[in-house]
DNA sequence: TTGTAGGCGTTATCAC
DNA sequence: GTGATAACGCCTACAA
């Protein structure tokens, strides 16, 4: 019924498989009449070359591995959306792995993707990853890697990120310009690239406007709202508590907002709040939270483009680059989540 | 460096590839000493069987295709999360396709997944799909299909869904029990399975409690908040406007809430609102919106389990089933999104 | 212009 | 207990 092969066509048309193969690929050295015959027959039988046979022969899978901490996360699912769009246009398929924020799982994922013989790897590091020898390893074996969002500079690859520095700078600048001086920064694990870049932007803005940097206003931690609660509460007990909060993530921002409301601190009248959000705020919370929006989908697209570029030019010498995509600061006047 | 094959091992150990193959697979008819030798050497060289060669030989890809309307949607990304978990445990990888709510894209996706020779297909129909001949087609070619969430009964397969009827019934029942009588139902396209099941639950609850059904209170439409706005506004102009809203989706619920707030209609004091939400409410909006929560991840897991079951028992006769997973009604007292 | 043969990595079958 | 061979589907030197 299905599963037509070149052999079937050859047999039916009394040709050799090589002739059929060549005809199908439009080789010039073939009789136009034969070519037509083959093409028509193939069309009629709905012939599709077997990608697995091709993979075996060409020693490539036309698949790219994607390792993310979590699929069920708005930033990453949007990024994957972008990756999928590019990959399928270029004839690659996308194999998804989740590290679940665990270093061990990430290492396993890398191994699995190698076992699957992916042509290249897109990865956003787990929050527990600081050692990247598992990546260096496969890179040495000739597998191209592109890191996105959560990157490492301990390995030379193409990197695609949001412009975290500028995003943090602009957000902090806005807070300062609206009169805030005690700006808390609630952020992620200190060893993560995104943490460092955002902290740098935050510090740079403070410095530029002559606002003193206070170590106590910077808090590192996990993602969940539960973990944020005590942090914010502790900040509120400071002799000189914050008059603004800059949260390095959507869940951090929501957790922060939650505590402030519990304490009847009105936002943004008594304290400002800006989130560095992975959330599609326009869709979910747009009229509410002031945010620095990351171009999740574009990051995915760009990363996929870069990776495919690397895959297809593997021989011709590679130059790695770091792409920074702009973020967007959106300031909301309202304190309501839905206005 | 890498890409060790059976041949390499055979050559190094002065054995034939067949012996190595057998040793590796732990065949009984092999000299224990030889076996040990091979195993050790393979271990040392970090030998991994080439899955592509295996696929070619066994005529299976150990991949399952997953077609969803959108990855960047909380319900589907959670479902994929569940699918991934099961699939990788069972040694399958997951190839993702998006239909973008387009029938044509969906048909293309099905074709692509066939060309990729997936061993089975998991699909949630696009909102534009009513004809399912593309699925019947591949099913006849022996490819197992499991439909989840958005299903069709025009084709005989295993189906995995939330118990939409009960969810809608319980939600409507709650609204009635709290004194509501004019309960609007804002829902999705009328031909979709989820729409019909939820409508049925809604009607059943009305009937059971003797509340008259009013056709005018049921509104079908698109997903976006922009599309909801005019619908709710129109409902408000009715001579006898709703005192409760039951929205068949997270974005529908948020859009609805948004309009009500604009009109200064307090929720739930002046009007109740329950959403049939795909959103992980516990994570994002939990203290806020009353919802019927769908077990997205479980749906994905169950669907994947059923599919793999079908794949691996393909020969031994199949019996299709429909799995309904329970939903959970969560009632929030507060009108605030974040309390 | 077309056909033959060999190989990609693996395993099953049949010899020895 | 081990080895040679063929086959999965495709492509491409090389031959004719």
């Amino acid at each position: 019924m299905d599963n037509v092969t070149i052999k079937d066509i050859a047999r039916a048309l009394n040709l050799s498989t090589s002739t059929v193969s060549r005809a199908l690929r439009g080789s010039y050295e073939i009789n136009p009449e034969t070519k037509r015959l083959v093409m028509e027959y193939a069309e009629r039988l709905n012939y599709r070359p077997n990608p697995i046979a091709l993979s075996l022969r060409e020693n490539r899978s036309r698949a790219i591995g994607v390792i993310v901490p979590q699929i069920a996360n708005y930033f990453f699912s949007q990024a994957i959306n972008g990756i999928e769009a590019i990959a399928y246009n270029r004839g690659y398929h996308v194999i998804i792995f989740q590290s679940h924020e665990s270093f061990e799982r990430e290492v396993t994922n890398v191994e699995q993707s190698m076992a699957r013989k992916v042509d290249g790897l897109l990865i956003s590091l787990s929050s527990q990853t600081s050692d990247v020898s598992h990546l260096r390893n496969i890179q040495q074996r000739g597998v191209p890697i592109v890191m996105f969002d959560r990157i490492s500079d301990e390995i030379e690859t193409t990197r695609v990120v949001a412009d975290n520095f500028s995003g943090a700078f602009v957000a902090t600048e806005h807070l300062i310009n609206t009169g805030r001086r005690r700006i808390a920064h609630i952020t992620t694990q200190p060893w993560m690239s995104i943490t460092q870049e955002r902290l740098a932007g935050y510090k740079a803005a403070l410095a530029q406007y002559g606002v003193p940097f206070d170590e106590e206003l910077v808090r590192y931690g996990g993602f969940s709202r539960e973990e944020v609660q005590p942090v914010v509460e502790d900040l509120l007990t400071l002799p000189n508590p914050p008059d603004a909060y800059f949260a390095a993530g959507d869940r951090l921002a929501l957790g922060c907002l939650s505590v402030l409301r519990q304490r009847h601190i009105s936002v943004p009248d008594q304290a400002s709040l800006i989130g560095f959000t992975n959330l599609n705020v326009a869709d979910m919370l747009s009229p509410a939270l002031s945010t620095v929006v990351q171009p999740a989908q574009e990051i995915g697209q760009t990363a996929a483009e870069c990776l495919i570029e690397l895959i297809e030019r593997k021989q011709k010498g590679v130059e790695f680059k770091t792409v920074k995509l702009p973020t967007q600061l959106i300031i909301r006047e309202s304190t309501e989540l839905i206005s």
Side-chain angles (χ1 to χ4, degrees), chain A residues 92-321:
Chain A
Y92 288 81
H93 70 251
V94 172
I95 306 183
I96 304 263
F97 302 83
Q98 300 190 71
S99 66
H100 297 287
E101 305 285 7
S102 144
F103 175 68
E104 286 75 26
R105 284 286 293 254
E106 185 176 293
V107 173
T108 309
N109 288 339
V110 170
E111 278 167 10
Q112 284 181 307
S113 61
M114 286 307 92
R116 290 286 185 192
K117 298 236 175 294
V118 297
D119 292 343
L121 198 58
L122 278 170
I123 184 168
S124 194
L125 298 178
S126 95
S127 59
Q128 303 309 318
T129 301
S130 49
D131 173 24
V132 291
S133 46
H134 54 309
L135 296 179
R136 202 174 293 119
N137 203 315
I138 67 160
Q139 198 181 29
Q140 277 161 3
R141 285 153 68 180
V143 179
I145 302 177
V146 169
M147 312 184 79
F148 68 100
D149 190 48
R150 305 190 192 170
I151 63 179
S152 159
D153 51 10
E154 307 219 334
I155 182 175
E156 233 182 284
T157 52
T158 288
R159 296 180 257 261
V160 181
V161 291
D163 192 341
N164 291 296
F165 179 92
S166 297
F169 185 95
V170 173
T172 311
E173 186 177 43
H174 172 85
L175 293 171
I176 297 171
N177 285 341
T178 52
R180 304 308 185 182
R181 285 296 175 275
R182 298 282 296 162
I183 304 170
H185 182 30
I186 299 171
T187 186
T188 42
Q189 308 295 0
W191 57 80
M192 294 171 73
S193 59
I194 49 177
T195 308
Q196 291 164 6
E197 293 162 11
R198 291 165 191 175
L199 180 61
Y202 164 83
K203 279 183 175 173
L206 294 182
Q208 171 154 339
Y209 290 90
V211 179
F213 171 71
D214 183 350
E215 189 74 60
E216 267 209 306
L217 292 177
V218 179
R219 304 295 172 107
Y220 308 90
F223 298 107
S224 78
R225 209 189 278 183
E226 291 67 38
E227 291 173 88
V228 184
Q229 175 119 6
V231 168
V232 178
E233 278 168 0
D234 187 62
L235 282 168
L236 289 172
T237 67
L238 287 180
N240 191 359
D243 54 15
Y245 297 82
F246 173 41
D250 45 17
R251 279 124 96 207
L252 295 179
L254 287 178
C256 190
L257 182 56
S258 172
V259 178
L260 294 179
R261 297 201 132 219
Q262 273 170 24
R263 298 308 176 93
H264 301 99
I265 295 170
S266 138
V267 177
D269 301 330
Q270 292 169 264
S272 301
L273 171 61
I274 299 185
F276 210 110
T277 178
N278 296 329
L279 200 65
N280 183 342
V281 283
D283 213 26
M284 296 295 309
L285 297 170
S286 74
L289 197 57
S290 296
T291 60
V292 180
V293 181
Q294 296 187 93
Q297 190 168 323
E298 276 180 46
I299 289 178
Q301 287 177 347
T302 310
E305 275 163 5
C306 290
L307 182 64
I308 293 172
E309 186 88 348
L310 287 178
I311 291 171
E312 299 189 344
R313 301 198 172 210
K314 210 186 285 187
Q315 312 304 354
K316 312 175 193 166
V318 272
E319 68 295 348
F320 297 123
K321 53 186 170 181

